[in-house]
């Protein structure tokens, strides 16, 4: 997958400065929630689409929960450092078929996330639900609207034309590899079957890393987050650093939900984590059976896409 940006206009100089232009902006202070023109501010629901608490993994008698637990058993067993390095090398080439952002969004109609205990709707609805919820509360932060729209696009890796990777190699909570698997990870017991679990080079708190090394220097379990991050970063996306951080770590629940792995963060990570906490509220709690009218909101998101009009996606079909 490639995002060639021949004439990028999505500009941000750095996280702490604001430039007065017509381009997408990132304020130097995280704004409070703003009321939209219709006063329709996002309120997090108390229960998910199945009438249960969000991210509830405890009901072992529920069929959906059983499949989710089986998913994590497979993921935790197979996501080793060697596997991650192999996937990053293979998919980091970004050298196949071209498609644009909206075409990639529409492909997500064919994807249902098997790791998600909260929703079994097509993924395009999740993108639009989270983006629309953010837009209502933060109408001036259009960089964040765009980030919400594209944050899960890497899930197309499950489709045949993108390599047909198994879901355990695409979705689910992410975590660092190359160091001890923190107990904040969901279904931590299944890491015992991972080849890295008893490796003395990898099973200490810091492993191959050091305190405060920064997440940029950490290998994360392979999936749609890391893939989409590579797509944006390697092709010169000028999303602000907080946008790239959100894309790469939005599934890193052991960090931003449970507070694990904080010893690996540097100061830049801590700043960007504040934005991820803002985003996570909408990524998680906007999941609903009530669907967004795609054609109604499409013109707005197409206007954002035009600001990065050369944002195109590459799949992994045979040449």
């Amino acid at each position: 997958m490639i995002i060639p940006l021949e004439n990028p206009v999505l500009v941000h100089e750095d996280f702490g400065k604001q430039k007065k232009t017509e381009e997408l902006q990132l304020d130097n202070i995280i704004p409070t929630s703003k009321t939209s023109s219709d006063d329709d501010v996002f309120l997090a629901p108390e229960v998910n689409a199945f009438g249960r608490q969000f991210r509830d993994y405890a009901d072992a008698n529920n069929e959906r929960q059983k499949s989710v637990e089986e998913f994590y058993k497979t993921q935790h067993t197979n996501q080793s450092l060697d596997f991650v390095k192999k996937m990053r090398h293979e998919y980091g080439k970004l050298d196949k078929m071209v498609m644009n952002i909206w075409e990639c969004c529409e492909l997500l109609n064919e994807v249902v996330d098997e790791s998600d205990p909260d929703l079994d709707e097509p993924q395009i609805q999740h993108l639009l639900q989270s983006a629309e919820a953010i837009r209502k509360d933060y109408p001036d932060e259009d960089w964040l609207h765009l980030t919400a729209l594209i944050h899960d696009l890497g899930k197309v890796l499950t489709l045949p034309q993108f390599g047909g990777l198994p879901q355990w190699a695409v979705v689910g909570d992410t975590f660092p590899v190359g160091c001890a698997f923190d107990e904040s990870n969901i279904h931590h017991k299944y890491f015992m079957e991972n080849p890295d679990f008893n490796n003395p080079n990898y099973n200490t708190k810091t492993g191959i890393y050091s305190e405060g090394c920064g997440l940029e220097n950490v290998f994360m379990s392979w999936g749609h987050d890391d893939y989409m991050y590579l797509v944006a970063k390697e092709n010169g996306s000028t999303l602000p650093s907080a946008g790239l951080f959100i894309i790469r770590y939005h599934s890193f629940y052991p960090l931003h939900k449970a507070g694990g792995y904080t010893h690996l963060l540097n100061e830049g990570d801590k700043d960007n984590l504040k934005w991820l906490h803002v985003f996570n509220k909408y990524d998680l709690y906007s999941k609903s059976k009530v669907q967004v009218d795609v054609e109604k909101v499409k013109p707005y998101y197409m206007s954002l896409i035009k600001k990065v009009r050369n944002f195109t996606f590459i799949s992994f079909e045979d040449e």
Side-chain angles (χ1 to χ4, degrees):
M1 186 182 285
I2 287 181
I3 304 180
L5 293 175
E6 298 173 4
N7 299 298
V9 295
L10 181 58
V11 174
H12 176 67
E13 293 183 334
D14 63 52
F15 185 59
K17 298 178 182 179
Q18 183 178 12
K19 183 179 179 181
K20 296 296 184 180
T21 71
E22 295 179 356
E23 300 150 355
L24 298 191
Q25 297 295 324
L26 175 59
D27 292 337
N28 60 341
I29 298 176
I30 297 177
T32 56
S33 178
K34 301 176 182 178
T35 304
S36 59
S37 58
D38 59 1
D39 293 329
D40 188 11
V41 175
F42 174 77
L43 297 175
E46 295 182 0
V47 295
N48 65 17
F50 300 105
R52 300 188 300 273
Q53 295 297 310
F54 284 87
R55 289 180 59 80
D56 177 8
Y57 295 90
D59 185 2
N61 295 319
N62 181 275
E63 288 303 316
R64 178 71 174 172
Q65 301 288 31
K66 289 179 181 178
S67 66
V68 170
E69 181 166 354
E70 186 61 31
F71 164 89
Y72 277 107
K73 180 179 180 180
T74 306
Q75 185 212 47
H76 290 357
T77 300
N78 289 283
Q79 288 272 5
S80 65
L81 179 60
D82 284 346
F83 173 77
V84 168
K85 287 183 176 180
K86 178 182 176 181
M87 291 295 100
R88 277 188 138 241
H89 174 73
E90 178 179 348
Y91 284 93
K93 297 173 184 177
L94 311 177
D95 60 355
K96 307 296 182 181
M97 186 184 76
V98 178
M99 66 178 60
N100 63 41
I101 286 179
W102 196 261
E103 288 172 333
C104 198
C105 288
E106 290 179 333
L107 270 183
L108 290 190
N109 278 324
E110 303 175 33
V111 176
V112 173
D113 187 337
E114 293 177 1
S115 72
D116 191 342
D118 297 321
L119 194 63
D120 57 3
E121 295 295 314
Q123 291 296 298
I124 190 173
Q125 279 297 320
H126 168 56
L127 297 182
L128 291 173
Q129 286 170 352
S130 57
E132 282 293 281
I134 290 172
R135 182 156 73 115
K136 288 175 180 177
D137 275 12
Y138 298 91
D140 298 330
E141 309 301 325
D142 50 2
W143 70 272
L144 194 55
H145 312 163
L146 183 60
T147 298
L149 181 70
I150 69 174
H151 77 283
D152 271 350
L153 291 187
K155 289 183 179 181
V156 295
L157 289 178
T158 63
L159 301 177
Q161 60 269 43
F162 281 81
L165 290 180
Q167 290 231 352
W168 63 261
V170 179
V171 299
D173 288 10
T174 60
F175 47 86
V177 293
C179 62
F181 301 113
D182 193 270
E183 291 188 0
S184 58
N185 285 288
I186 291 296
H187 297 305
H188 178 269
K189 60 186 178 182
Y190 294 123
F191 283 116
M192 294 180 66
E193 302 300 319
N194 189 293
D196 293 349
F197 187 81
N198 292 312
N199 188 321
N201 294 318
Y202 306 149
N203 64 7
T204 63
K205 183 177 180 179
T206 55
I208 63 174
Y209 312 114
S210 60
E211 295 267 350
C213 65
L215 292 181
E216 175 64 22
N217 298 306
V218 172
F219 287 99
M220 298 295 295
S221 56
W222 177 251
H224 71 281
D225 309 60
D226 209 22
Y227 178 56
M228 191 61 203
Y229 166 76
L230 288 176
V231 169
K233 179 175 179 289
E234 296 303 319
N235 291 280
S237 167
T238 49
L239 274 173
S241 62
L244 294 176
F245 190 91
I246 288 168
I247 289 171
R248 192 180 190 200
Y249 303 112
H250 67 271
S251 300
F252 191 6
Y253 280 91
L255 169 67
H256 62 73
K257 194 71 173 177
Y261 298 103
T262 55
H263 59 286
L264 298 175
L265 304 184
N266 60 23
E267 291 306 311
D269 295 331
K270 293 174 184 177
D271 286 339
N272 286 333
L273 184 59
K274 298 172 186 177
W275 277 107
L276 180 53
H277 281 139
V278 170
F279 175 84
N280 176 249
K281 169 182 159 184
Y282 300 90
D283 185 28
L284 178 60
Y285 295 109
S286 63
K287 297 173 182 177
S288 171
K289 288 287 187 181
V290 179
Q291 298 199 351
V292 175
D293 185 334
V294 176
E295 293 306 312
K296 181 179 179 180
V297 302
K298 182 177 178 179
Y300 172 72
Y301 291 101
M302 290 300 293
S303 72
L304 292 188
I305 291 169
K306 286 180 180 179
K307 293 185 177 183
V308 282
R309 53 189 173 276
N310 293 309
F311 226 66
T312 57
F313 286 75
I314 309 299
S315 77
F316 289 89
E317 283 190 336
D318 293 335
E319 295 180 351

